[in-house]
Amino acid sequence: MTLYGRSAVLNTVVPSLVGLDSNGPRRLRIPDGTPLLLVCGGGRGSGKSALLKALSEQYAQRVPQAYADLAADRFGQPGLARPADGEAPRNASHTSDLLFYLMDGLSQKPSEFAGKLSFPRLVQGLLAITSWEPVRPAELPAARHRLGELQRAGQPDQQARNERVLGWIDEVAGALPAVGGMPPGVEEMVRALLRIVATELLGPRANKEGLKWWGARRVGRQGDGLARLTELAMTFRGEAEDREHAERHLLAALLADIADHYGWLNTMNRVPRPLLLLDNAHTPTGAAFLDELARVWHEEAAGERALRPAVVATALSQDPPVPDPEDTSPSTRSAPGAFWRADGPASPAGWLAHLPLAPLTLDEVKEMFGEDRPAPRTAQVIHRISAGRAGIVHDLVQAARLHPRLHDGASAVDPLDLLALPAGPESATTVNEKILATQLPGEVARRRLTYYSPALDNEAVHRLGAAYPPGDPGGVPVLEAEAELRDGRWGRHPWPGTGGPFVGDPVLRALLLHELTALTRRTPDAEQWKNLHLRLRSFYDPHGRGTAAERPDVRFLHHSLALGEQESVVHALHRRFAEQDAPGWLAALNLVCAAPRPPRTLPPPAAFTAACRACAVDDDPVHRAVRLLVSALWAQSQPLAAPQQDATGTVRLQLLTLAMAQSGAPAAQKVFYRAHEEWPTLLGHWRQAPHLPTYGESAP
C-alpha cells in the first residue's frame, strides 16, 4: 500500500491505532484484533523524521508517548550521555538502554490523560540485569528526581522520600568492588535491590503483581519471581543468543505493563493508547529492536481485548521512480481497518505494515508556497528536481520564497538558477549545498561522489578513482563510494541501453553535478570540469583518435558535449545517421543529449573547423537539422529546464526533416516520423533525454 502525501497517516491511519481523533477529543472505535507495527519507509529527504515530529506534536499532552532516534547514540536526546566506547558492558545492551529511555518517556503523564503509566514488570527486569553497574540511560529518572527535590524543598517529607528512592543507586554502586564476576551472592543482591526499588517506586501491590508475572515466565528452569529475575540477569550476561532471549522477556514486560495499566474496562471505554515513535529503524540497532518487538508481538498472547501500544517506525528505503510532474491527483486514503489483524499471521514479519512515503504531488508542492506567487513553472521544476521528496521540496520552496519579488508580487527567480539560491537570509551557503549536506552527511563521501557523478558506468569510476578526487584521504575511495550509495538506499534507475550512470538516483546525480560546476567556479583550478570530462571520455577512445574515429563511442560524444564541443558531436552524429538504424540513432541522440551543461565560467572550446564527411553538399539540410536538434534537445534535457515552446517546436521540425531524408528507407522514415509526432508532446510534459522513446532495439 502507498500513501501520497502525509495527511492519511496523520489523520486516518495513526488515529485509528491510537484511538483518538487527530485534532479533537473524540475517541475513535478501536477495531477488533491487534494493531500492526507501522513502518513508514522512504529515501533521504522524504520527510520520515518530519512525520514523526508531526505525530509527536499532534498527540502532545494527549496520550503517553516516547520518541527515539535509533540512528543516534543518544536516541535523539541531546542531554543524555553517550554510550561507553569499546566493548558493550555486560549489564547493558542497546535494547535495554532503549527500554530505559522509552519507559521514562511513557511514564510522563500528559495533562489530558487520566492516570500515569507505571512499569513494575519492566522495572524489575531492567534493575535485575543492571544491578551491579550503573547504566547511564537508567540515570535519567534519577536526574529528574533530583530536580524534583529542588522544586519541593519546602516539603521535607516528600524530599526525604525522594532521597530514599535514590539511595538504592548508591547502595548498589557501593557493592560493586566486593562483587566482581558472577558470585553466588548475586541472587541476594538482586533480591535486596528489588525489595528497595519495589517498595519505593512501585508500591506493595505492583511489587507483588510484577513478581507474580515474572514467576510465570519461562526464564529459568524453576523458582519464584525473584529466582526467575536472577536467571534473567545471568542469561543477559551470556552469549548473543542468550542476551536476545533475555531482551525479549523485557519487551514482553513492557507490553504486559501497558496492557495491565489499561485493563479490560479502560480498553472497553476506548481510552487512547500510548504512542511509540521510532525513527531510523533501518539501522542495525533499529532493525534488531524492531525484529525483537515483532517477535514478541507475535509470540505473546494478547488476551481478549488486551491493549497494545501504537507503534510508528520509520526506515530508510529506496524511493520509487521519479513521479509524473503533471500528476495532480489528491492524496489517497487508506481504510483504518487495514492496519489491524483479527487473526494471527504465520510469522512475526506479518505484524509489520510497510508503508512507503510516496512523493509529494505537484499540487502539494504548490501548496507549500502559501500565498506567495512563484515564477512560472518554478513549482514544476522543484517537483522534478526533488522527485517530490518532502525535505528537498521544503528547502527549495523556502529558498525561492526568499528571492526578491517583482513589482506585482511574483517571484523573479529563474528556475535554471534555483539550486544556486541562498539557503537562507544572508546565508553564504547555497540551497544545493544545504540539501547535499543533508542527503550525504559525510564530507569525504560527498566530495568523492561529486567527482564521480559524471561517470556513466562503474568501470569508468574505478579508472577515474586513481586520480580523483584530488587530495583524497585514501583507502578504497570507489568501493567506499559504492557502499555509501548502497547503505543510503539510493535507487538505481539505469538509463535505457546502459547499465549506468554510476550515481543512478536522478535527484542525487543532479545535485552532485550542480555541486561539481560550483566547485569548478570556487577553486583556483577553473578547468576541473574540463579535465575531468577529458579523462572520462578518454576511457572510450582507446586509440586516441577522438571524433576522427570512424564511429566514436556514444559515451565519448556524451562527455564531448559536456565539454561544450557541440559541433564535433554534430559531425559524429551526422555520420552515424547515414550508417545506423533509426532506433539506434535515436538512442545515441538520447544518451548524448543527456550530457550536463558545462559551467558558464568554463572557456569555450576551440572552433571545430573540420569538414563533415557525411555532408553531400554545402549547408547540408540533414547536417543543419542534426545541429538544431542537438542544440534544442540538449537545452531541454537539463534537470532545471522547463519546457520551452520554441525548443520543442525546433525538435518537431528537425525530426520531420530527418524523416523526409529517409525517403528510401520506409521503416526508418516511420520511426523518425513517429518521433516527430510524439517527442515534442513528451518534452512538453517534462520528459527529457535519455528517457525519450526510440521505437525499437538500440543498436550499439
Side-chain angles (χ1 to χ4, degrees), residues 387-403:
R389 296 175 193 172
I392 300 177
V393 170
H394 176 268
D395 287 339
L396 292 172
V397 168
Q398 295 308 308
R401 294 180 69 181
L402 289 171
H403 198 268

Side-chain angles (χ1 to χ4, degrees), residues 490-515:
W490 291 106
R492 288 193 62 84
H493 305 291
W495 289 359
T498 73
F502 175 72
V503 179
D505 183 273
V507 175
L508 182 61
R509 187 171 192 268
L511 297 172
L512 290 167
L513 285 170
H514 186 276
E515 175 62 13

Side-chain angles (χ1 to χ4, degrees), residues 56 124 167 171 175 181 241 253-254 269 316 434 464 473 485 603 616 676:
S56 179
Q124 289 169 342
E171 180 175 325
E241 185 175 344
L254 171 70
N269 287 333
L316 188 63
K434 178 183 178 183
L464 185 68
L485 294 173
H676 138 268

